[in-house]
Amino acid sequence: MAQENANVIDQPEVLTPRMVTIEISGKTYEVPEGITVIKALWYTGQEVVRGAGCLGGFCGACATYYRTKDDPKVKTCLACQTAVQDGMSFTMMPPFPARKATYDIQKLQDPKQDLFNLYPEAPLCRNCNACTEACPQKIDVREGVWKAVFGDFKGVSEMFMDCVMCGMCTPVCIADIAPNLVALYVSRAQGAHFTEKPKGLETRIHEIENGRFNEEWNHILKMNEKELVDHCATVK
Amino acid sequence: MDIHALQQIVHKTRDARRKQTLPKFSPADRDQLIKKYHPDSRESAYRPIRFGPNAGEKTVVELATLLEGDSLIGEDVDLTPHYTTDVLVIGGGGAGCAAALHAHGAGAKVILATKLRLGDSNSVMAQGGMQISVAPEDSPVTHFLDTLKGGHMKNDHQLLKVMVEEGPAIAKWLIGLGVLFDRQADGNLHVKKGGGSSKPRLLTCSDYTGLEIMRVLKDEVINQKIQLLEFCAAVELLSDEGGKCSGAIFKDLDNHRYVVVAAKTVILATGGIGRLHIQGFPTSNHYGATGDGLCLSYRMGAALAHVDTFQYHPSGAVYPEQLIGALVTEGIRSEGGHLVNAKGERFVNELDTRDVVSSSIIRECEEGRGIRTMSGRVGVWLDTPLLDAEHGPGTVEKHFPAMMLQFERFGIDISKDPVLIYPTLHYQNGGVKIDTNSETNVGNLFVAGEASGGLHGRNRLMGNSLLDLMVFGKRSGLIAASRAASMPQGRLTVKHLERFRANAKKHGSLSGVISPMILPAYTRKAG
Ligand SMILES: Cc1cc2nc3c(=O)[nH]c(=O)nc-3n(C[C@H](O)[C@H](O)[C@H](O)COP(=O)(O)OP(=O)(O)OC[C@H]3O[C@@H](n4cnc5c(N)ncnc54)[C@H](O)[C@@H]3O)c2cc1C
Ligand code: SF4
Ligand code: SF4
Ligand code: FES
C-alpha cells in the first residue's frame, strides 16, 4: 500500500552496503558491516552450536573476546548483541572449568558465614578490577565481591540482577574467584533468608486451601458459554 | 530521512496525547480487526494436516511440513540404552527445570537432556513478569475470567483452574529457593498490571523476571546433582509394545552420535516454535525454538490442540537491524507508553490484548501510516520517553535496565528516543493436548510448558506462560515420578515409526523433510 516517502528512515548501512574485513579465530573474512558477531559466523558458513542460546542478550552463551583495529586491548562482548566493524578480530570463549559450590539453600544455618566455607577464595580478592573490566553487562563485579565478603547481601543481589552468567569475569581473576557464582549464592541466600516473607501471599494461599473461592468456582464452572461470556464482560 | 527527524512527531504530539484516553474496541470491532489484520487470519498461510491424530485440521504450512516429516531414525536402529532412568525430562527451560526438580524431590531418578546448555531457552528472556493473583482485590477466579476472555473463551477450563489456583503456592516455592521478586515497601509482593488483565497481577524481578527465575532454577538443578545431558537433541521417542512412551533417542551435537535413554516416564518440555519464522515473521524466540516436541509427540500419536493460532507480540524491534524481532517488553505499555503512527496519532488502547494490539499495528502499516526503514521493514513508534515525562526522569532506566542496555549497545537511548516496533512471532498458543496431570493421550508421555496446548485458548495473556511452566512443570514432575515408582521399564522399540510411515504412505507421502529441525539453518551456504 502507498507509503509516503517522507516516512522512510535512511540507513547508511543499507544505502551503501559495505563489506568489512574481520578476523575470526585467526582467519580473515569479508562480511557486511554492522551485522552481529553471531551473524558474521553464519555469514562465513560456520555452524554455531556452542555459543548461541537466546540470541537476545539474556543467556550468556555467546561470550566472546574481541579486539578492534590497532588497539591492543582485548575486550569482551555478547556475540548476539554486538555489531562487527572493519578490522575487528574475535574468538568465542570456550566453557571455563570454574568450580561451583553445591549447597542446600533452604538448610543453610548462617548464610553469611557459609560463604567462606563454600567459596573460601572469595575473601582473597586482590582488587585488580579485571572482573569489572571483563563484564559485558557493566556490573561493578569487584565491588560486588567485596560487598559479598563484607556481608552486604542485599547490595550484591541488586547489583547482579543484570548478570547473564556469561562467565567472562572468571578466567581473568588472579585470585581464582568465580565472581558470578559467588554473587549467585549470595543473591539466593538474600532471597531465601534475608527477605521478608510476603504476608499477602500467605493469606491468599490459606484462602485457597480453606475453600474461600469454592462457591464462586461452582457457580462459574456450571455456566454455559453464553453465560460465561456475559460474566466475563462484567469483570472490570 | 534521518531517524531523529522522523521521531520529532512523537515528541511534538506527546503533551496532547497525554490528555487523551482511548477507549477499548467493542467486541465486534475487535473481531473484525483481528479477522482482517491478524496473521492467523491469512488463509494462504495455512493448509490441512494430511494424516495423524489431527488429520484434516489446519495449521501453518511450516508446521504441517514438519509434522509430516520423517524421522532421522531407521527401524533397524540399535536400541541398547546408554542410560536408564525413572523420569526423563527433555528440555532445559523453565518447564523442564521445574519438572526435573519436583520429580527429583519426589525421590525419582531423573535425567534432564537438553539441546543447548541447561537454561538456554525462551524462559531466560521473559521480561514482563509472571501472573499470580496475590493482591487483596484480586482472586484466582478473576485471574481465570481474565485469561478466558483473553483466550477467546477457548481455554480448557480444568487446566486453567489448576493453573490459577496453584499460582500462589508456586510463588512461595520460588521465594523459598531465593528468587528475588520486586516488593512493596510493606514487604508484600509488588504487582503490575498487564495487557488484558483487570487487576494488577504481574510479579516481576525488575525486567529480568525470566533470567532471575532461571538463574535460580538452573543453580538448584546443579545443586541437586540431577544428571544432565547437554547438547543432546531428542530426535525420536521410544514406545513399548502397547504404544506407551518408554524413552527417547538423542543426537549428541558434539560428536553426532546417538544416545539412547530408557525411561519409565518422559516429560517433554521443548518449548515453542518461533524459529520456524512462520509467514516470514522475525521472532523473539531463542535459537532452539523449532517446535521439536510437537513433531516428536505427533509421530507417537499424541493429539495437538490449537496449533492454528500463534502469538505475534505487538512490539518487536524494527530498528536497528541488529535487534530485529527482539522483544520490547509489554511493561513499557503497562506503564503507559503510547503507540504512535507516522502522523503522531495513537490508534489503539495500548493495554488491549496482544492480538488486538498487533492487528492494529499491522493495520496502521498496511494503510500507509507506518514508518519504513531502508532495509524494507515497517513499524510504528513506541513512545518510551513518555515514561520519564510521566513518572519522572530516570524511570525508564530504573524500570527497564535490560532494554536500556540492549539499545544502548547500538547508540540508542530509549529514555530520550522512541523506538520503532512491529509485531514479532512470539509464542505458540497451542501445542500437545494435555490433561490436568500434564499427560498426553500417549501413556507415560507428559508435556509441560509452551510445547503443551489447551490452557491458553487462542491467545495467551502476558505473564501466564511463566506460571504455566511452573505449575505444569511441577505437576508433570510429581506425577511422572509417582507413576515411575510403581511400574517396570517398558520395552524399547520404534514400532510407532512403522505405523507413522505406513499411515503417511496411505495418504500420499511424507513431506520430504526430516523432523525435528533441531536448529534453524542460518548458516550461509557457499557462493
Ligand atoms: C523474549 C520473550 C519474552 C517473554 N516474556 C514473557 C513474560 O514476561 N512472561 C511470561 O509469562 N512469558 C513470557 N514469555 C513466554 C515464556 O517465556 C515462554 O513461553 C516459556 O519460557 C517457555 O518455557 P518452556 O520451558 O516451555 O520452553 P523454553 O524455555 O523455550 O525451553 C525449551 C527447552 O527445550 C530445549 N529443546 C528444544 N528442542 C529440544 C530437543 N529436540 N531436544 C532436547 N531439548 C530441546 C531447548 O533448548 C530449551 O532448553 C516470553 C517469551 C519470549 C521469547
Ligand atoms: S558478572 Fe560475570 S558472569 Fe555476570 S554478566 Fe558480568 S562477566 Fe558475565
Ligand atoms: S578479578 Fe578477582 S581479584 Fe581481581 S577484583 Fe575481580 S574478584 Fe578481585
Ligand atoms: S545468545 Fe544468549 S546472550 Fe547471546
Side-chain angles (χ1 to χ4, degrees):
Chain A
M1 229 146 280
Q3 174 84 31
E4 292 156 46
N5 268 340
N7 293 323
V8 179
I9 303 174
D10 305 335
Q11 286 162 271
E13 69 271 30
V14 178
L15 288 172
T16 46
R18 197 164 81 99
M19 298 299 276
V20 293
T21 308
I22 60 165
E23 201 182 278
I24 306 176
S25 305
K27 273 198 205 171
T28 306
Y29 298 91
E30 299 257 300
V31 303
E33 181 173 29
I35 63 175
T36 60
V37 167
I38 282 210
K39 286 184 182 160
L41 284 161
W42 288 330
Y43 187 87
T44 58
Q46 309 191 40
E47 254 195 76
V48 189
V49 175
R50 288 182 180 267
C54 65
L55 301 179
F58 286 92
C59 76
C62 60
T64 296
Y65 293 116
Y66 74 100
R67 249 180 354 88
T68 47
K69 213 176 191 165
D70 304 327
D71 184 352
K73 185 158 176 56
V74 176
K75 289 168 261 195
T76 59
C77 69
L78 297 176
C80 68
Q81 299 293 303
T82 307
V84 296
Q85 44 177 295
D86 193 41
M88 187 174 182
S89 164
F90 66 82
T91 301
M92 288 197 135
M93 184 177 106
F96 190 77
R99 179 187 65 88
K100 195 197 101 60
T102 53
Y103 41 86
D104 187 332
I105 195 77
Q106 270 137 357
K107 295 210 179 107
L108 297 173
Q109 292 305 319
D110 186 353
K112 294 201 178 172
Q113 202 50 44
D114 291 333
L115 169 67
F116 302 109
N117 305 324
L118 294 167
Y119 290 107
E121 61 279 16
L124 305 180
C125 168
R126 282 182 263 161
N127 231 348
C128 71
N129 213 33
C131 50
T132 302
E133 286 188 33
C135 180
Q137 292 291 89
K138 303 191 178 156
I139 298 168
D140 190 342
V141 185
R142 178 192 64 101
E143 176 81 9
V145 172
W146 281 87
K147 280 195 163 143
V149 171
F150 282 98
D152 179 4
F153 278 25
K154 183 160 191 284
V156 175
S157 67
E158 281 161 9
M159 288 176 74
F160 283 78
M161 193 50 98
D162 305 75
C163 174
V164 293
M165 301 296 283
C166 65
M168 282 193 275
C169 50
T170 305
V172 296
C173 179
I174 51 174
D176 298 318
I177 302 167
N180 57 330
L181 297 178
V182 170
L184 177 60
Y185 163 75
V186 168
S187 303
R188 288 191 62 185
Q190 170 66 20
H193 294 278
F194 303 115
T195 309
E196 218 180 316
K197 299 282 167 261
K199 293 195 189 66
L201 177 64
E202 287 301 327
T203 312
R204 179 55 39 84
I205 292 173
H206 285 135
E207 285 175 347
I208 293 170
E209 282 170 359
N210 299 334
R212 161 145 183 228
F213 306 105
N214 287 357
E215 213 175 299
E216 226 177 316
W217 280 127
N218 288 338
H219 180 57
I220 285 169
L221 294 174
K222 275 202 219 101
M223 290 180 176
N224 63 30
E225 174 138 0
K226 167 86 179 55
E227 290 166 337
L228 206 47
V229 171
D230 293 344
H231 190 64
C232 280
T234 64
V235 181
K236 288 275 151 47
Chain B
M1 213 184 311
D2 155 1
I3 182 164
H4 292 288
L6 285 170
Q7 285 168 340
Q8 287 312 316
I9 188 88
V10 183
H11 297 305
K12 272 197 227 141
T13 54
R14 184 169 300 124
D15 283 328
R17 280 185 278 109
R18 283 165 75 178
K19 298 190 190 90
Q20 239 179 8
T21 38
L22 243 62
K24 287 203 179 156
F25 292 114
S26 71
D29 286 348
R30 300 172 81 207
D31 286 352
Q32 215 185 355
L33 185 73
I34 289 173
K35 209 157 174 222
K36 185 139 182 227
Y37 294 104
H38 196 277
D40 278 358
S41 316
R42 281 182 209 152
E43 272 181 35
S44 59
Y46 284 78
R47 76 163 170 83
I49 306 170
R50 287 179 298 141
F51 51 87
N54 292 68
E57 288 177 33
K58 281 191 174 178
T59 187
V60 285
V61 175
E62 293 87 346
L63 179 58
T65 309
L66 283 179
L67 291 176
E68 296 168 0
D70 201 359
S71 174
L72 199 57
I73 301 297
E75 280 153 35
D76 56 350
V77 62
D78 178 5
L79 290 175
T80 318
H82 299 88
Y83 301 94
T84 300
T85 187
D86 292 332
V87 179
L88 169 63
V89 178
I90 305 178
C97 287
L101 286 170
H102 282 99
H104 173 85
K109 174 170 165 39
V110 178
I111 290 180
L112 190 158
T114 186
K115 179 152 70 180
L116 297 164
R117 299 178 315 169
L118 177 65
D120 292 352
S121 60
N122 278 358
S123 300
V124 280
M125 287 190 278
Q127 290 179 270
M130 178 172 187
Q131 287 216 34
I132 299 184
S133 70
V134 295
E137 72 272 22
D138 195 10
S139 86
V141 182
T142 314
H143 188 178
F144 180 94
L145 295 171
D146 282 343
T147 306
L148 202 54
K149 196 150 75 166
H152 299 272
M153 312 304 287
K154 300 293 183 224
N155 317 54
D156 179 316
H157 292 184
Q158 296 309 322
L159 293 177
L160 185 52
K161 178 168 187 283
V162 163
M163 182 182 84
V164 298
E165 284 210 302
E166 294 188 2
I170 289 291
K172 186 173 175 175
W173 178 65
L174 290 173
I175 292 168
L177 289 175
V179 171
L180 290 155
F181 287 115
D182 295 331
R183 302 299 186 99
Q184 295 169 4
D186 66 0
N188 271 317
L189 293 163
H190 177 73
V191 279
K192 275 201 208 164
K193 201 164 161 171
S197 296
S198 62
K199 298 281 179 312
R201 189 182 295 133
L202 282 171
L203 306 191
T204 52
C205 313
S206 166
D207 63 345
Y208 286 112
T209 313
L211 176 59
E212 166 65 3
I213 292 175
M214 286 309 291
R215 263 193 306 247
V216 169
L217 292 186
K218 244 165 71 178
D219 192 49
E220 191 61 13
V221 166
I222 297 169
N223 279 347
Q224 298 293 339
K225 304 192 173 68
I226 291 170
Q227 188 174 359
L228 290 177
L229 302 176
E230 289 183 310
F231 297 102
C232 279
V235 290
E236 197 52 59
L237 294 172
L238 299 172
S239 54
D240 69 8
E241 320 59 355
K244 289 188 172 154
C245 193
S246 57
I249 309 179
F250 295 85
K251 188 170 162 190
D252 183 328
L253 300 181
D254 285 329
N255 57 24
H256 302 285
R257 290 190 189 134
Y258 289 134
V259 176
V260 178
V261 180
K264 293 180 180 175
T265 51
V266 174
I267 302 173
L268 261 180
T270 49
I273 210 175
R275 291 279 153 195
L276 299 186
H277 295 290
I278 289 164
Q279 302 193 37
F281 269 80
T283 183
S284 62
N285 284 194
H286 80 114
Y287 193 31
T290 46
D292 298 1
L294 300 186
C295 308
L296 295 170
S297 330
Y298 196 71
R299 276 211 285 269
M300 279 284 277
L304 311 175
H306 300 320
V307 283
D308 57 339
T309 154
F310 301 89
Q311 185 161 76
Y312 297 82
H313 192 289
S315 47
V318 176
Y319 185 92
E321 199 58 28
Q322 293 91 342
L323 291 181
I324 293 305
L327 205 67
V328 173
T329 172
E330 185 158 321
I332 302 275
R333 278 179 291 129
S334 301
E335 292 201 14
H338 290 168
L339 290 169
V340 180
N341 67 17
K343 295 162 105 179
E345 308 155 336
R346 288 169 74 189
F347 49 86
V348 65
N349 182 307
E350 287 80 1
L351 292 183
D352 216 321
T353 49
R354 287 181 174 173
D355 47 359
V356 172
V357 178
S358 288
S359 302
S360 63
I361 294 170
I362 295 173
R363 180 188 62 189
E364 290 308 296
C365 294
E366 286 194 2
E367 292 181 353
R369 293 182 297 276
I371 298 90
R372 198 172 286 275
T373 73
M374 283 305 291
S375 37
R377 300 178 195 274
V378 61
V380 297
W381 299 113
L382 177 63
D383 189 357
T384 43
L386 174 64
L387 267 49
D388 276 15
E390 201 72 60
H391 310 293
T395 304
V396 176
E397 185 166 13
K398 181 145 174 276
H399 293 185
F400 304 101
M403 248 191 81
M404 278 289 283
L405 191 61
Q406 212 170 20
F407 279 87
E408 208 175 83
R409 288 192 167 111
F410 301 102
I412 298 169
D413 179 348
I414 63 166
S415 68
K416 298 202 169 59
D417 291 323
V419 294
L420 200 61
I421 55 114
Y422 189 78
T424 183
L425 178 55
H426 186 56
Y427 187 80
Q428 156 189 306
N429 290 325
V432 186
K433 213 182 210 151
I434 54 167
D435 62 17
T436 51
N437 282 347
S438 223
E439 196 167 9
T440 66
N441 61 306
V442 173
N444 303 332
L445 177 63
F446 298 78
V447 176
E450 190 171 342
S452 70
L455 172 67
H456 301 289
R458 302 188 62 80
N459 177 49
R460 172 182 68 96
L461 284 196
M462 87 166 290
N464 265 346
S465 173
L466 285 179
L467 180 57
D468 168 15
L469 308 183
M470 294 302 130
V471 168
F472 288 94
K474 173 179 175 181
R475 289 209 149 211
S476 63
L478 292 177
I479 295 156
S482 83
R483 178 85 56 83
S486 63
M487 62 178 249
Q489 170 65 47
R491 272 192 52 205
L492 307 186
T493 82
V494 286
K495 282 269 174 357
H496 61 280
L497 275 181
E498 282 171 38
R499 230 183 314 129
F500 181 80
R501 285 172 179 144
N503 197 0
K505 215 167 177 182
K506 218 165 71 198
H507 294 86
S509 64
L510 293 158
S511 64
V513 303
I514 295 288
S515 68
M517 182 186 276
I518 302 178
L519 289 174
Y522 290 150
T523 309
R524 183 164 154 269
K525 303 289 173 289

